[in-house]
Every structure is written in C-alpha cells, then in structure tokens.
Amino acid sequence: MNYRTALALLLCTTLLFAAGCEQTSIAEQEAIKNAATLQAATPSATPSVTPTPTPTAPPTLTPTLGPSPTPTATPNPTRTPNPTLTPLPPTPTPNAALAGFSLCSQTAGESDGGRFSAQVSGITTTIEPAFERVTIGLRVPADSAPPHAVARCLGASDDAPGASSTYSLLIDLGDWLHDDAFKTTAISPTGTLSGTTALKSMSYRFDPNAVAGATLAFGLEQPLPYRLTLETNPYRLVLEVAKSGAFGPGSDMLSVSTTSSVTPDEPLFYIQDGDVWKYAGGKAANLTKDGRAGQYGAVTDLAVSAAANALAFCAVAPGADAGDRLAQSSLWTLDLDGTVAQDLSGEVLACADPAFAPDGKTLAFSLAETDASPPRFSIWTVSADGGTGQRVSAPSDEWSRFGPQWIDGDRLVYAASAEDSRSTLFVHGPGNVEKDVGADLIKGETYRSLGRPLVAPDGSAIAVEALRAGGGADLLLIDRDGAPMASQRQIAGGYWNRPLAWGAGGTLYYLNTTCASEVAQSYTLRTRALKTGEDKQVALGTSLGGLGSVAATGNGLAYVTVEHTPPGPRGPLRLDAQSASALWFWDVGGGSRAKLAGASSAIGDVTP
C-alpha cells in the first residue's frame, strides 16, 4: 500500500461523548500531505527521539532535605585521571513528523490561567503513519478563562496500582470547574479505544467532592514520546502519541557495559540490605553481617577515612525499623577489614550523616535529640577514638541541621531546614562560631531553597543545588567561606543540575537532567574544572530508572543505578529503598565501564 492510499484510509473513531457531540471526522479536517512529507513521517527501523523540554515551567518538586544517602567527599586520589570525551551513541536522524514529541511533562494553555468552565463536546482518534492522535473538543463559555491542561507519563503502578497497562499517560485538567457545563459532560469512567495500537485504553476520573479538577488517563504498554497542544476557535486539546518508543539497547549509556574486566584501583565500600560491604580484588564481601544480631541492627549511613584506616556508620538498634528516622541508633567505627568495632555514641535517639575530618581523628554527625515530628537534628562531633560528644550547633532554634561536611580540620558546612519550608547553609568555624551563608544565596525570587553541600577534597569549593522557585535546580559553586566563587558562574540550564562527586584536581562531576519527566530521565553527565571553568560532556542517555550514589576514585567513577525511583519528576537524588540496583565502575580516562555487583534493593553511600 502506498502512502497516499494509507492516508485515504485514515481511521477516525468517535470514542466517548456528551449530548451534542461533534460527529465530524478529524481526518476530514486534515490536509492531504505530499509524498515527501509522508516519507519523512515514516518511523525508521530503530527510531529514537530526544526529549525536548516545553517552554513552560515544569511542576514544582520539593525533594526531601532531611538526612538521606549523600555522596561523600573523597580523599585526594593517588592517580589523577584525565577525563576525556567518551564516544557517544550516534545521533539518530530525526523524524520530521515527531518534532516536539518527548517524554517531558507538558503544559497546553496558560498554566496559571485559573479555573475555567468547559463541556467536552467530543473525543475522537486519528491514526497517522508515525503517531496516534486524540482530539478532545471543548465548548467554553465566552465569560470563562481559557482552558489549560498538563500531560505527564508515569508508571501505572505509580498512578493506579493494579492497572491493566504498564504505563499511564495523564491529561490533568486541575482547574476544570465542576459547574453545569462540567456536569453535562457525559464521559464513561472507562472506555476501549478502537483502531489504536499505541494507546491501549482510556479512563476518566474526578473527585465528586472537589470544586474543580478531572483527569483523562490513557494506558500504554511502553513509554512513548508525546505532544500536547491546545487549539482555539474552536477549543480543542490535541494529544499525539508516537507509535514507536524512545528507548533502545544503548539508550542509557551509564547502564551499558563496555568490558567485563575493569575494576577500581582502590576498595569501594557501600551499604546493601542494611550491611556494610567492601568491593576489592574483583569480589564483594559483607563486613557487618556477623555482628548485626548481637551488636547492631541495620546500617543507615556510611563514611570512610583512609587516614583513620576506618569506616564509620550509623546503625539502628536491633529489631528497629531502619526506615524510621527517629529509630534508636548508634554511631560505630570499624576497621577497613571489618574488625574492631567500637560504639562511639551509645544508643541515641537517631544518628545520621557521619563524616570524618581530613586527618581522620574526628567525626561529625547529625543527631536527633527529641522524638518530635518532623525530627529536628543538630550537629555533633566526637573523637574517632571514642569519648564524649560535643554539640556544634545551637541547642534550640527553628533549624534542623544535617549533612555535615568538613571544609578543613577546623570548619564544617551543613544544611538546615525549618518547618515553614525555609532552608539554608551554615558554616561552623573556630571559636564555636556558626554563620548562616545560605540566606544570601537564595535572596530574591529566583530560588526557594538549597540542597546538601558537597565539599571538594581540598576544601576550596562547595557545590550545592539551588532549587528554583518555578521548578528544577541550578548548581551553585561557593568558596570555603560560603561566598559565590568569582571565577565560576552558576551551572544552569535544563531542568535539574545535581552535584555527584569531586574528582582529583578540583574536577566536579554533575548530572544535568534535560526536563521534568515522571517516567524517564534524559541526562548528560558533565565535568566542570574548578581552576579553568572548562565544562565537558562525558556521557548522555535516557533512563527509565535513576542514578543513586556516586563517588570519584583514583581512576574513575563508582556509581549506582536503580531500576525504580519514587513518584515525581526525575532530577534530584530520590531513592526507592526496595528498588533493584547495580554498582558500576567507569574508568573515565580509559573509557572502560562494567557492572561490579547487583542487588534486589537499593545500594547506598558508595565511597572509596
């Protein structure tokens, strides 16, 4: 069948409609395309679409700013890799018919347009060579605000557990008033789509007790690029979904092995299933399994010091829930070979975020002193040899402090949050002086909060996420005193910029997420040289999972990939503790990359 014949047989089916529904076929309203356009619209044998961010602001995400797995600043490596541009996957020839299609969350109309009145006059499908179209006709009163909607794709289990399809593509009409026009829209709660192959089903839902809002949900068997637009005169919401997926065997570069033999040149330590593991010599060994039953319960946070020849970890009391942030726990040290365990704190209410001083003689950590909810943490230090802990932060104020990192032997930087959603950074120095350095960083209307600090091994720079007021995050580089570095501009662009790890010579590894998407993460892994400001792309890809803990080693990067992330737009570090995961190592200079270990739960706190 030639392309003109195919167009002549375009299928247009009226699905679900109210009284007075338009019966006109959408296909009859489409102009017949010429042969050249049809050829361009035909998907290639292995189509791959690069997600394109929409110009409107993505949904605002508020990640958890409390204690959670955080990359630990690594000591100066013995060997300095020279990161080179890793050969990237070939760029596919774009399909002209799929311009503007992506897996990004998308807004049609003015997202801040307010509540509107509308009646659905008809819902139709059209089948095109490269995509399927759903058109939703809207009758909008003259005195109403214009309609608007948000489209987002997510795993069906995150949308409606037990759904028949694997993925859901949602059109959210959050400001659709439940007035007379709404009530005269008679759409069935569920429906079967006729003639479509990419779109498997459709459902309609709303809260009858709410004054506004409704959702149209379309079932998919795989995440497919889509495009949502709003047409006027008359108003029509148009959802177009590609027939072919955006993923192939090499879509996620960080999950593709290039060899089976590459290994880090120094041991790696990490948390898996509540135990501390050590990877060395091509093998992984459990360092804490024998002690769990009698001495301590599940390990929650980990730090390692080559200077002290020891690791430190927080562990909940035996039998306590490791996911309870207020569970009784203790701070322990352990020799790097898994022997000579020592309890430094005794059983306290909750311990988190241990961090060794550069000389390995002192540990900083977060401590919850009351059982208030949400928990309020303070910062303490204790000798790595044991002794009485010393409070670093103020005894009582509005701030919960967490995530301490050593700038040098005398100074710490840590994050803080308040119950009213404010956040900041504190620098604590000699004389027990604590200085708020975060307030000036987020002054104005650009940013609303800050993430955790990540300190360079020599203490000369600190990287921190600055969460934008409109959604997403930039990356700020500040000096040891908390002031913006004059030689470095902020790292912006895309949806989210997340610091990963500091390498040798002041090289920062960071992840740029292209756009807000709840089903996939399109990313570029980049390096920023602190001395020169040179910024390089070293990897890129699109992942249905996520990137967890990352650490720089002497000859590359160790990192964790996870199969599933919690609901919400991808970008920040957010882990599902029950997700299957894998530990990888990448010799960035040489280009070799291999999976070292796999687990049925999330691996955390990787550090050399």
Side-chain angles (χ1 to χ4, degrees), residues 328-348:
Q328 295 288 328
S329 59
S330 298
L331 176 65
W332 294 79
T333 58
L334 192 67
D335 287 358
L336 295 184
D337 60 2
T339 61
V340 193
Q342 182 180 9
D343 184 352
L344 297 186
S345 64
E347 192 171 272
V348 296

Side-chain angles (χ1 to χ4, degrees), residues 9-270:
L9 295 178
L10 285 175
L11 174 62
C12 177
T13 305
T14 300
L15 297 173
L16 309 164
F17 52 88
C21 170
E22 295 176 349
Q23 299 293 325
T24 304
S25 166
I26 299 300
E28 295 173 3
Q29 302 174 28
E30 299 292 332
I32 301 299
K33 303 173 178 63
N34 59 42
T37 302
L38 287 171
Q39 182 65 41
T42 304
S44 59
T46 56
S48 178
V49 180
T50 301
T52 303
T54 55
T56 55
T60 299
L61 172 67
T62 304
T64 300
L65 293 177
S68 62
T70 306
T72 304
T74 57
N76 284 318
T78 56
R79 184 159 67 89
T80 303
N82 183 20
T84 57
L85 184 63
T86 301
L88 304 176
T91 302
T93 302
N95 188 332
L98 300 178
F101 284 60
S102 76
L103 291 170
C104 307
S105 297
Q106 302 173 26
T107 300
E110 297 295 330
S111 60
D112 57 354
R115 292 175 176 171
F116 61 89
S117 176
Q119 178 195 48
V120 173
S121 58
I123 302 177
T124 58
T125 56
T126 306
I127 311 302
E128 293 280 2
F131 58 85
E132 297 172 356
R133 179 187 295 117
V134 177
T135 302
I136 305 165
L138 299 173
R139 290 177 178 165
V140 180
D143 59 350
S144 170
H148 49 274
V150 174
R152 53 198 179 99
C153 186
L154 64 162
S157 60
D158 294 332
D159 171 43
S164 58
S165 298
T166 308
Y167 295 89
S168 294
L169 179 52
L170 308 181
I171 299 180
D172 293 323
L173 299 109
D175 286 327
W176 186 7
L177 277 170
H178 292 182
D179 57 7
D180 290 341
F182 177 87
K183 294 174 183 178
T184 57
T185 294
I187 303 178
S188 301
T190 60
T192 301
L193 302 179
S194 176
T196 59
T197 57
L199 295 164
K200 299 297 183 180
S201 62
M202 174 181 166
S203 63
Y204 171 67
R205 54 185 185 251
F206 64 91
D207 181 354
N209 298 316
V211 297
T215 297
L216 290 171
F218 298 89
L220 305 172
E221 291 306 316
Q222 61 175 312
L224 297 169
Y226 62 91
R227 177 174 62 188
L228 180 69
T229 55
L230 176 67
E231 298 180 354
T232 59
N233 299 320
Y235 280 114
R236 300 191 303 181
L237 277 171
V238 180
L239 175 68
E240 295 168 323
V241 180
K243 292 181 179 180
S244 301
F247 299 95
S251 297
D252 182 9
M253 185 174 172
L254 293 178
S255 295
V256 177
S257 297
T258 62
T259 182
S260 59
S261 59
V262 64
T263 56
D265 60 1
E266 54 189 312
L268 296 174
F269 300 86
Y270 57 94

